[in-house]
Amino acid sequence: MVEGLPPTGALARKLAGHHWEHRDFLTADVVDLLGQLVTDFRNANKHEDAPVQSYPKPVWRPEPVRKRRKKKAAREAAEARTGYLRIVALATPEHAEKG
């Protein structure tokens, strides 16, 4: 049943962690490239004494999900380990004395 869901639906947005679609990323790439081309054109046709113009900053994009998932997984693993150690200390008093 899940296989037939649209790639732009609510489930896909939840899994991706953002609402950007493929076309949004392509549009951001086009804007960045146009900015670079305009800058190259201006630098190629500038007066000899004029300073070189630097490239514009890239368009903002959502943070990759992998980084957020790694951080979340590490935090959950640390919380689970702390809870496990607390339970072991309660269940076995000799571990609490050593630890």
Side-chain angles (χ1 to χ4, degrees):
M1 193 159 112
V2 176
E3 292 175 1
L5 293 175
T8 58
L11 179 63
R13 288 192 306 270
K14 175 68 176 168
L15 292 176
H18 55 77
H19 67 280
W20 276 42
E21 296 178 11
H22 185 67
R23 66 181 156 86
D24 298 322
F25 286 101
L26 291 176
T27 303
D29 290 342
V30 168
V31 170
D32 289 343
L33 289 173
L34 280 174
Q36 291 175 2
L37 287 172
V38 168
T39 303
D40 287 339
F41 178 80
R42 288 179 180 165
N43 286 332
N45 295 303
K46 70 177 181 61
H47 190 270
E48 293 176 4
D49 298 333
V52 175
Q53 185 179 9
S54 60
Y55 286 126
K57 292 182 180 179
V59 174
W60 177 88
R61 290 166 176 79
E63 180 183 337
V65 177
R66 287 173 279 163
K67 289 182 182 178
R68 286 187 285 171
R69 284 187 182 163
K70 270 189 173 180
K71 289 178 185 176
K72 184 179 178 183
R75 186 178 64 247
E76 288 175 351
E79 290 172 0
R81 178 74 178 160
T82 303
Y84 168 77
L85 292 175
R86 191 177 323 118
I87 291 170
V88 168
L90 291 172
T92 55
E94 63 273 3
H95 281 93
E97 293 171 5
K98 293 177 186 176

